[in-house]
Amino acid sequence: MKTISSILLFICAGCFGSFAQSLDISQYFTPPPEFQGKFGDYRNVLQFYDGRQVKTTADWAERRKEIRERWMELMGEWPDVITDQQLEILSSTKREDFTQYKVRFKWLPNESTEGYLLVPDDDVPGKNPTTGKRPAVISVFYEPETAIGQGRDVPHFDFAYQLTKRGFVSLSIGTTEATKAKTYSLYYPSIEHAEVEPLSMLGYAGANALEALAKRPEVDGSKIGIIGLSFGGKWSMFASTLYDKFAAAVWSDPGIVFDESRIAVNYWEPWYLGYHPKPWRKRALITGDNPAQGLYPELVKNGYDLHELHALMAPRPFLVSGGSEDPPERWIPLNSTIAVNKLLGYDDRVGMTNRPTHRPDKEANDIAYAFFEKFLMKP
């Protein structure tokens, strides 16, 4: 006689989005009462740089374009996104109920990278029965092995593996060589003469990863998300905000706005938004003896902050999986994007969870996975 669990598994085996209601995450889309409606000293995203107010959805489309163009002008324009490539399969390995492929693709005009593509077996729930395609999530980190559960032996860093077990196609990529060299990021056209801020180039690499992943026959190209922790959280934030084709995003404790009191919220470093030719400043908080250089101090001086980029997500959903660098008061800058979504007629598109530590735990990750299930697996 079949058990209840086995019967339910049989019933749902072909259901698209069978995990989508596995966890109620609705509470994480409402700021605590003490932060509701508070915007702090952040520049009003619903006001043009010349002072005009955004009153309509048409106004927002114009303002959104203004924000993106201004930031691209400041950080350096991207090269053309590479839209005509596919993932090159280098090898394949059967693991549990999915196949792991080692892949290669061009993430910069002059540079290729290798990563891992994880594809669930056909009988794993999550595939759309009409199209035969699955949603997908890109995981980004210092190297691609950790997210597939074969790198750093640290609990709860295996985003790609866990999402694949839940029915997503996963692509894991990382800056392996730059991490070994302690330059961490991507520099175009060269590290000696970078023309684009390195963090923005990570976003560009994420866009190229999406374009290559979207061409896989088992992937629904309209339902691709991105997730990253810390360095990867900054990467996933810049990729998703600057490239509209990302359908959803999770930013795990990157420090979502500038904060010069926190060493891990270090956007001033030369591998993020403070690029300058070597010799680089000593990695540390900003001091008179060790000042920030490059673009970053100009951004701060002129009142720019990352809440403007957050707003580019609207109405696409995103979740801040906050830890030590993104405590509950980060709802104050997030309220700007909530206001944009309200203008556009959307609720519950901006979420945040909070944990005490920088490293994620099971509860935080389960909510992140449920977020992707809700917004990418929903029919």
Side-chain angles (χ1 to χ4, degrees):
M1 183 174 182
K2 294 182 178 179
T3 64
I4 291 177
S5 60
S6 65
I7 292 172
L8 289 175
L9 179 61
F10 174 77
I11 292 172
C12 291
C15 297
F16 179 57
S18 59
F19 292 103
Q21 303 302 321
S22 60
L23 183 64
D24 182 6
I25 62 172
S26 58
Q27 63 180 301
Y28 303 109
F29 293 88
T30 302
E34 62 267 33
F35 300 120
Q36 290 182 15
K38 294 186 177 180
F39 298 92
D41 296 328
Y42 296 97
R43 196 201 314 263
N44 185 359
V45 298
L46 291 176
Q47 180 176 303
F48 289 90
Y49 292 127
D50 65 7
R52 291 178 293 130
Q53 295 296 313
V54 174
K55 298 179 180 180
T56 67
T57 56
D59 288 343
W60 171 248
E62 182 182 351
R63 170 62 173 147
R64 186 187 187 283
K65 183 173 182 287
E66 179 186 56
I67 292 172
R68 190 180 186 281
E69 288 182 349
R70 176 68 60 86
W71 278 80
M72 283 297 200
E73 178 184 356
L74 291 166
M75 295 188 296
E77 293 289 341
W78 283 1
D80 291 340
V81 174
I82 304 169
T83 60
D84 59 351
Q85 67 172 330
Q86 299 187 19
L87 296 173
E88 178 187 357
I89 303 298
L90 303 178
S91 64
S92 64
T93 305
K94 187 70 173 68
R95 288 180 63 190
E96 302 171 23
D97 54 357
F98 63 91
T99 301
Q100 176 176 300
Y101 299 94
K102 190 168 187 179
V103 298
R104 180 165 53 210
F105 69 99
K106 186 173 285 189
W107 63 354
L108 299 183
N110 56 352
E111 184 178 321
S112 294
T113 191
E114 294 180 1
Y116 298 93
L117 177 72
L118 278 52
V119 180
D121 293 347
D122 285 343
D123 59 352
V124 174
K127 184 168 62 173
N128 187 318
T130 301
T131 65
K133 296 179 179 292
R134 295 178 180 273
V137 179
I138 299 170
S139 296
V140 292
F141 198 50
Y142 290 109
E143 34 70 28
E145 286 78 21
T146 292
I148 65 171
Q150 295 183 332
R152 303 184 187 194
D153 187 17
V154 183
H156 314 304
F157 278 36
D158 56 346
F159 297 140
Y161 171 82
Q162 294 294 340
L163 285 163
T164 302
K165 298 294 286 185
R166 287 163 170 80
F168 292 87
V169 174
S170 296
L171 175 64
S172 180
I173 59 175
T175 56
T176 303
E177 294 181 3
T179 298
K180 290 179 180 177
K182 299 188 183 303
T183 57
Y184 304 110
S185 204
L186 297 177
Y187 306 86
Y188 179 78
S190 69
I191 195 169
E192 294 81 14
H193 303 286
E195 298 175 355
V196 183
E197 290 300 314
L199 182 51
S200 184
M201 284 309 295
L202 287 173
Y204 171 79
N208 288 324
L210 179 147
E211 290 293 344
L213 179 60
K215 292 179 174 58
R216 290 290 303 178
E218 61 274 272
V219 170
D220 182 342
S222 69
K223 294 193 174 189
I224 297 178
I226 188 168
I227 185 172
L229 165 68
S230 191
F231 162 78
K234 292 178 172 67
W235 184 348
S236 62
M237 179 167 60
F238 271 65
S240 56
T241 57
L242 294 174
Y243 201 59
D244 296 352
K245 290 186 180 181
F246 283 103
V250 172
W251 313 331
S252 187
D253 209 37
I256 61 169
V257 287
F258 299 152
D259 185 345
E260 294 178 7
S261 70
R262 303 292 301 178
I263 186 61
V265 190
N266 53 343
Y267 290 97
W268 55 84
E269 297 294 5
W271 49 86
Y272 287 139
L273 295 176
Y275 173 81
H276 61 89
K278 289 186 175 183
W280 283 350
R281 69 184 298 277
K282 181 180 178 181
R283 181 177 185 177
L285 292 174
I286 299 171
T287 66
D289 295 332
N290 189 23
Q293 300 182 47
L295 175 65
Y296 176 83
E298 294 301 314
L299 291 172
V300 173
K301 177 182 176 181
N302 291 295
Y304 295 100
D305 212 320
L306 300 177
H307 71 299
E308 293 189 11
L309 296 187
H310 304 167
L312 301 181
M313 287 294 293
R316 296 172 295 146
F318 67 92
L319 174 73
V320 178
S321 183
S324 58
E325 310 313 306
D326 286 310
E329 52 263 36
R330 297 289 195 224
W331 276 110
I332 294 174
L334 290 177
N335 282 331
S336 292
T337 305
I338 292 175
V340 175
N341 276 300
K342 183 177 181 180
L343 174 71
L344 299 177
Y346 290 89
D347 295 314
D348 298 339
R349 293 300 177 102
V350 179
M352 182 161 68
T353 61
N354 299 102
R355 58 183 184 269
T357 62
H358 183 52
R359 291 184 175 185
D361 53 29
K362 184 179 186 303
E363 180 182 5
N365 284 358
D366 283 346
I367 296 166
Y369 305 145
F371 167 86
F372 282 128
E373 290 167 354
K374 175 181 176 65
F375 287 105
L376 297 184
M377 278 191 176
K378 184 178 180 180

